[in-house]
Amino acid sequence: MQTITHSFVRNLLPPRPKTSHKGDFGRVLVLAGSTGFSGAAWFCGLAAVRGGAGLVTLGLPESVWGQVASGARECMCFPLPCDEEGRLNEKSFPWIERQLAKADVCVCGPGLGRSPDLQRLIALLMERDTPLVLDADGINNRSGHILNCPLVQTPHEGEFIRMGGAITHGREAGGLAYIEKYPCVLVLKGHETLVFEPGEPPRKNTTGGPGLAKGGSGDVLAGLIAAMMAQGLSPFDAASAAVYLHGLAGDICEKEIGERGMTASDVLGKLPKALLLTGG
């Protein structure tokens, strides 16, 4: 087991030449949101921006497009066809395929909802070669499809069990058993989040505390992982850096605001300071 440290993350973050432009820092495609869950898309998209991605595109159900676009001004927000429950449907797939061809990484799932069309969407994403971060309903809509792309999955313990994992013999043993059967980068969230990749020792994160146990925190983490991948980090390194920085932003909030009153918006706002403290 390797502990993710400040110096480890500092060494992972690539320097930014003075001659850089936005195209140098990657394109993130976010597929998220549904009626009642517009905040999830907002958190995920802006976390990708705050994490340093050059360009962030949000594909949103038209049912929530206006709510998200009005606040996510740094993102390119597009309204897509949705079903009667306000979830993305198969009519959105042609636009998604065109965007996948441009993207360096896709993050899918926050606030997405569940439906047969969304199961087909996850299958489509996994059959393409664009690196993919699956979070929340991205995981819940997965059903054992062919995997052609680098995949990061970010379950909490309940989701991990629903997707076929087990923690009967501990989280480390459960994570190792899962990635042996289903190769991917696995981020098993919780106290001391663990990050797994086949053939590598697991990595343990020690930043973050109970203040992060609020709605929206996971959406921020998913967007941050995608941002790190878009900037050239491997999925394993991107996930490791992101969980550390996300937890560090949470630690800053706990000191300045307090763990009870802090929100996911506060964590999002402290990501730049967390990056600054690690040299990013």
Side-chain angles (χ1 to χ4, degrees), residues 54-141:
L55 293 163
V56 179
T57 299
L58 270 64
L60 303 159
E62 57 189 356
S63 60
V64 300
W65 170 80
Q67 300 170 49
V68 179
S70 63
R73 293 182 293 273
E74 296 88 347
C75 303
M76 296 172 284
C77 300
F78 292 86
L80 301 179
C82 59
D83 63 20
E84 294 178 353
E85 301 296 325
R87 302 169 299 211
L88 291 176
N89 66 16
E90 63 182 2
K91 293 180 180 179
S92 67
F93 292 4
W95 182 91
I96 291 170
E97 293 221 61
R98 291 193 297 272
Q99 294 301 316
L100 281 174
K102 305 175 187 178
D104 294 295
V105 57
C106 174
V107 53
C108 180
L112 204 62
R114 304 185 202 184
S115 73
D117 276 7
L118 290 172
Q119 291 179 7
R120 288 190 286 272
L121 171 61
I122 301 305
L124 181 154
L125 297 176
M126 294 176 65
E127 290 166 1
R128 303 303 184 266
D129 58 7
T130 304
L132 178 62
V133 179
L134 282 185
D135 178 61
D137 284 330
I139 294 169
N140 293 329
N141 281 294

Side-chain angles (χ1 to χ4, degrees), residues 117-249:
D117 276 7
L118 290 172
Q119 291 179 7
R120 288 190 286 272
L121 171 61
I122 301 305
L124 181 154
L125 297 176
M126 294 176 65
E127 290 166 1
R128 303 303 184 266
D129 58 7
T130 304
L132 178 62
V133 179
L134 282 185
D135 178 61
D137 284 330
I139 294 169
N140 293 329
N141 281 294
R142 183 183 174 184
S143 56
H145 299 287
I146 295 171
L147 177 63
N148 288 330
C149 62
L151 176 66
V152 179
Q153 298 190 93
T154 61
H156 55 61
E157 289 184 3
E159 290 167 337
F160 181 61
I161 292 169
R162 287 198 297 272
M163 61 194 251
I167 55 174
T168 307
H169 301 292
R171 299 169 78 242
E172 181 180 355
L176 288 170
Y178 183 87
I179 62 170
E180 182 177 356
K181 188 174 182 180
Y182 306 108
C184 67
V185 170
L186 174 68
V187 179
L188 185 51
K189 296 185 294 191
H191 174 60
E192 297 190 337
T193 290
L194 300 178
V195 186
F196 300 85
E197 180 175 61
E200 297 291 338
R203 293 172 178 171
K204 178 176 69 174
N205 183 53
T206 57
T207 60
L212 291 173
K214 289 188 176 178
S217 291
D219 308 321
V220 173
L221 178 59
L224 187 56
I225 293 171
M228 295 291 126
M229 291 172 65
Q231 293 169 84
L233 273 66
S234 72
F236 190 35
D237 286 343
S240 301
V243 296
Y244 181 90
L245 291 164
H246 180 256
L248 180 58

